[in-house]
């Protein structure tokens, strides 16, 4: 695996963990399916052969790599069945396997320049071709699978690990991608998948460790690929939930605000059929909400352009349910099991420690003022469970439990009742902190030292500031009230995020109306998506209901309540069966009883206690292994005395092509521009430092002499090496200005700062405009790369020009001699340096 360059930390490179194929061509014969996958440029192909004569799935991967011409010759005369953009996997039914291909996609946003897509259409291909008659139940299972639209609210990325948080990706992306936590895994009494099958069932194969299996909804579909040890280039995890992004202006700066919702595949289901917790410690409606803010004007390589804040929502971690046999819109709540040792509850909090760190805060929003006791049934047992868990934990790891009756406060008539929630959010963020990829701004350091602004979180050497905890919020459904509470916490967190990025002078200042409105729209859209997936309708109570109710909002809430009741009563059973088949909780070919004949799916998600001896986890230091896994960091690569060029993973280089863009010296030669060429180098001990170097060349009469071309090149290279070893980096500013104008960077920045998408023509380099290699029109990017001709080939983006500071340099360190060829003419030397600064230009 590739390693990061010396001096580069995970906070400064947002690189993908694996290379993934990005387009697929399915060829069909009677004996086999041939799936040809290629990269974005369609010049590297891999082949996967799928046998069709048996119901058992046989996959054979060709280790060779093909070109497009090879593929056309190889499959000449063979039928091309379809083209696709993602291989979701294979699902087994009664009569064999079906292959799932995503044939349509749509780009919905960017994270650091990495494109995020949503699946728009999925096609099923029956693999066997032996002509055997399918069982009668086969078509019914296929009808079940189509209940959940895989072309709605499923997301993926070719170059970004969407199953993990932004903080995790920054931690691990520049180290060995396949390095996982080597210590002991958390104690579990069921399979690693957490689905809770009996021990007699086959254990699923594990994904590469950089992916979070909990949020990989095609984990069951990828099992045949993992079982046959197919190369990871074919694996493309997808998440279920939502991804929403808005571009907003903050003091003339374009900021991308994104909200990512990741639904857990464990104990997944519908509202009344999946409540509480299962034996493996997974709760119903478990959703991770991540709020990301990034400065779009600084591209991907800024050291302080990314921030995120993560929250968690999920059902109350007790064994409780609701009786849906009667058509009651509010069925009674009952606790059907009581565990005096709270084993499942401990496993749930153990998993939160593993994922988020040592600070856990639980916010309970259920009602306690009710005419007929219903939700209050769970209030005291939940508080007792947290108290029992705290009795086992060290004092510094105690879980903070807070109950706040949202509905009672809303009906109390107090106009400032939301101030209590805002003060709680402020205390929460000060305890858990948030993630910030850059170093602290000097202005913020001064304000913290003077006491004007209280510091949040501890700074680290590699990540800047990291989030070490999470707020766990729940109401009875973890939908309406939970979404409103998470919005107010996210609003408070956004102030700290923008303050850390240098766009606000005070983190507790009021947000502008445009920014506030955009955040409301983001959380309402995410809340509606989660409510549709779990409850069957959109939010029954929106943010408007909890702030300023109107007749229109009340009528809308009533309509959604009726729609939710109808779907919970009549369609949730079929939807639950579909989820069980899709996620592999129930595999039709392995079971004797049809799914629709099972009286309940309880034993599909829970362990049969008479066959399994459950250990008492409460008698162990169960939190130790979880926190060790959270705190684990891969060892950084050793720094060698002779720096070597760094090549990012191939998915990055092939998708963004940073090394195929025109170099500045090539531009000068091609356009016959006077003056020296400009070279960029990377240096600096703790962060990237870019130096512009003027390279001496021969005078104009030297070019007309009788020397051969090779002799000229050799002499010019020797002169360049002497200059680089003898004096600091220099630049001809007029030459650089000409380059800026020629590359149309101003045009690009204007579009980027305004939040508009760039026209493809503005993103092509001069080589592409001359009809050269690989101008990409279908995926316009928000930034483009300039090749660095130096001892470290680090991609630098033209949008970085907006944050460059020019200053005199008196004693820079000498640079090692490069080995490439350069040719221009000698000019007077000026000392001018452009480098990234600790202080943001704002």
């Amino acid at each position: 695996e590739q390693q990061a360059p010396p001096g580069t930390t995970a906070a400064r490179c947002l690189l993908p963990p694996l290379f993934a194929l990005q387009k697929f061509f399915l060829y069909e014969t009677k004996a086999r399916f041939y799936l040809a996958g290629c990269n974005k440029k369609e010049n590297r192909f891999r082949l996967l052969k799928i046998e069709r004569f048996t119901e058992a799935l046989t996959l054979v991967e060709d280790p060779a790599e093909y070109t497009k011409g090879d593929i056309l010759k190889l499959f000449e005369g063979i039928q091309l069945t379809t083209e696709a953009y993602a291989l979701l996997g294979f699902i087994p039914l009664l009569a064999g396997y079906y292959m799932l291909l995503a044939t349509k996609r749509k780009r919905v946003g960017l994270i650091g320049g990495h494109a995020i897509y949503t699946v728009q259409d999925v096609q099923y291909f029956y693999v066997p071709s032996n002509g055997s008659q399918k069982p009668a139940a086969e078509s019914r299972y296929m009808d079940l699978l189509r209940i959940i639209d895989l072309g709605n609210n499923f997301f993926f990325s070719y170059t970004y690990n969407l199953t993990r948080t932004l903080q995790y990706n920054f931690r691990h992306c520049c180290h060995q991608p396949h390095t996982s936590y080597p210590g002991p895994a958390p104690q579990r009494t069921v399979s690693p998948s957490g689905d809770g099958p009996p021990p007699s069932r086959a254990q699923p194969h594990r994904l590469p460790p950089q992916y979070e299996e909990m949020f990989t909804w095609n984990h069951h579909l990828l099992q045949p690929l993992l079982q046959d040890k197919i190369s990871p280039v074919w694996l493309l995890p997808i998440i279920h939930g939502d991804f929403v992004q808005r571009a907003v202006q903050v003091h003339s700066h374009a900021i991308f605000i994104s909200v990512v919702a990741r639904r857990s595949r464990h104990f997944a289901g519908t509202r009344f059929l999946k409540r509480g917790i299962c034996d493996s410690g997974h709760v119903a409606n478990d959703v991770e909400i991540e709020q990301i803010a990034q400065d779009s004007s600084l591209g991907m390589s800024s050291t302080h352009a990314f921030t995120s804040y993560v929250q968690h929502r999920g059902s109350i971690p007790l064994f409780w349910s609701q009786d849906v046999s009667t058509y009651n819109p509010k069925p009674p709540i009952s606790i059907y099991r009581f565990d005096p040792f709270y084993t499942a509850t401990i496993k749930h909090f153990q998993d939160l420690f593993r994922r988020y760190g040592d600070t856990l805060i639980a916010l309970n929003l259920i009602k306690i003022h009710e005419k007929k006791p219903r939700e209050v049934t769970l209030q005291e047992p939940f508080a007792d469970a947290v108290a029992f868990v705290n009795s086992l934990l060290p004092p510094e790891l105690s879980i903070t439990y807070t109950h706040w009756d949202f509905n009672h406060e809303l009906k109390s008539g107090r106009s400032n009742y939301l101030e209590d929630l805002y003060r709680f959010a402020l205390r929460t963020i000060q305890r858990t902190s948030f993630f910030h990829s850059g170093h602290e701004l000097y202005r913020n350091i001064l304000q913290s030292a003077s006491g004007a602004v209280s510091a949040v979180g501890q700074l680290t050497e590699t990540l800047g500031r990291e989030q070490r905890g999470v707020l766990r919020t729940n109401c009875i459904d973890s939908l309406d009230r939970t979404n409103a509470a998470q919005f107010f916490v996210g609003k408070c967190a956004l102030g700290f995020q923008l303050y850390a990025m240098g766009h606000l002078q005070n983190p507790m200042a009021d947000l502008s109306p445009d920014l506030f409105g955009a955040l409301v729209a983001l959380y309402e859209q995410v809340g509606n998506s989660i409510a549709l997936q779990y409850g069957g309708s959109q939010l029954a109570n929106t943010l408007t209901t909890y702030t300023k109710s109107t007749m229109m909002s009340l009528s809308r809430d009533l309509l959604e309540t009726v729609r939710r009741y109808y779907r919970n009563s009549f369609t949730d059973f079929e939807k639950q069966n579909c989820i069980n088949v899709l996620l592999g909780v129930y595999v039709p070919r392995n079971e004797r009883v049809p799914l629709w004949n099972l009286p309940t799916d309880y034993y599909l998600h829970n362990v049969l206690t008479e066959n399994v001896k459950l250990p008492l986890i409460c008698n162990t230091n169960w939190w130790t292994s979880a926190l060790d896994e959270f705190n684990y960091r891969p060892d950084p690569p050793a720094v060698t005395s002779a720096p070597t060029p760094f090549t990012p993973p191939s998915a990055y280089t092939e998708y963004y092509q940073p090394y195929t863009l025109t170099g500045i010296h090539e531009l000068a030669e091609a356009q016959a521009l006077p003056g020296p060429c400009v070279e960029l180098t990377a240096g600096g001990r703790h962060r990237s430092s870019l130096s512009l170097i003027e390279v001496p060349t021969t005078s104009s009469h030297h070019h007309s002499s009788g020397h051969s071309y090779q002799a000229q090149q050799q002499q010019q290279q020797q002169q360049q090496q002497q200059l680089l070893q003898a004096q600091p980096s220099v630049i001809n500013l007029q030459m650089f200005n000409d380059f800026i104008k020629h590359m149309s960077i101003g045009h690009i920045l204007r579009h980027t700062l305004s939040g508009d998408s760039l026209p493809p023509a503005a993103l092509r380099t001069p080589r592409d405009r001359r009809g050269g290699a690989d101008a990409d029109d279908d995926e316009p990017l928000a930034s483009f790369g300039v090749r660095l001709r130096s001892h470290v080939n680090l991609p630098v983006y033209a949008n970085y020009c907006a944050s460059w500071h020019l200053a005199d340099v008196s004693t820079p360190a000498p640079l090692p001699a490069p080995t490439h060829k350069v040719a221009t003419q000698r000019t007077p030397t000026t000392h001018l340096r452009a480098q990234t600064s600790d202080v943001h230009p704002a």
Side-chain angles (χ1 to χ4, degrees), residues 146-147 156-157 255 335 413 461 473 492 528 551 590 608 687 702 776 792 797 816:
R146 292 189 173 94
I147 291 178
F156 67 92
S157 175
I255 304 296
I335 298 178
E461 290 293 331
T473 308
C492 184
N528 286 332
M551 185 60 66
N590 296 341
L608 297 175
R687 62 168 41 91
H702 184 77
D776 186 11
V792 177
Y797 295 85

Side-chain angles (χ1 to χ4, degrees), residues 332-374:
I333 296 174
S334 62
I335 298 178
Y336 63 88
R337 269 178 59 188
F338 176 74
D339 180 9
F341 302 104
Y342 294 100
T343 301
T345 305
I346 290 175
K347 291 178 183 178
H348 172 65
F349 287 114
Q350 180 189 44
D351 186 61
L352 294 184
F353 278 128
R354 176 187 68 85
R355 288 155 56 190
Y356 303 116
D358 51 17
T359 303
L360 298 184
I361 302 173
L363 176 61
N364 189 7
L365 301 175
I366 62 176
K367 303 174 186 177
I368 58 174
H369 299 85
E370 297 177 295
K371 295 180 180 179
K372 183 178 180 180
R374 182 172 160 269

Side-chain angles (χ1 to χ4, degrees), residues 606-618:
N606 294 275
V607 176
L608 297 175
T609 55
E610 62 269 20
N611 296 332
V612 178
K613 185 177 180 180
L614 298 176
L616 286 180
I617 192 175
C618 61

Side-chain angles (χ1 to χ4, degrees), residues 411-430:
K411 299 175 181 179
S412 64
R414 291 195 302 128
S415 58
N416 60 344
Y417 78 97
L418 289 177
E419 292 183 2
D420 298 337
L421 185 58
Y422 179 78
R423 287 192 292 269
F424 171 81
L426 184 61
R427 294 193 302 269
T428 298
I429 296 172
Q430 289 175 340

Side-chain angles (χ1 to χ4, degrees), residues 181 184-187 346-347 349-358 621-632:
Y181 173 63
Q187 297 184 19
I346 290 175
K347 291 178 183 178
F349 287 114
Q350 180 189 44
D351 186 61
L352 294 184
F353 278 128
R354 176 187 68 85
R355 288 155 56 190
Y356 303 116
D358 51 17
N621 294 336
W622 49 268
W623 60 88
T624 304
S625 60
L627 290 177
D628 287 344
E629 185 171 351
F630 173 81
N631 293 321
Y632 172 70

Side-chain angles (χ1 to χ4, degrees), residues 345-346 348-350 352-353 358-363 382 385-387 389-391 393-402 431 470 472 622:
T345 305
I346 290 175
H348 172 65
F349 287 114
Q350 180 189 44
L352 294 184
F353 278 128
D358 51 17
T359 303
L360 298 184
I361 302 173
L363 176 61
F382 188 19
V386 175
V389 174
N390 283 337
S391 68
L393 291 170
E396 63 273 12
L397 297 179
S398 295
I399 302 170
T400 302
Y401 174 81
T402 302
R431 289 190 58 193
V470 74
R472 185 199 189 279
W622 49 268

Side-chain angles (χ1 to χ4, degrees), residues 3 12 46 61 72 97 109 119 171 289 307 338 365 370 426 438 484 495 565 629 636 641 710 818 820:
Q3 291 186 342
R12 281 189 280 281
R46 300 289 294 272
E61 181 184 12
L72 293 177
Y97 282 81
V119 179
R171 272 185 186 174
I289 304 293
T307 63
F338 176 74
L365 301 175
E370 297 177 295
L426 184 61
Y565 167 69
E629 185 171 351
S641 56
Q710 291 79 4
H820 54 273

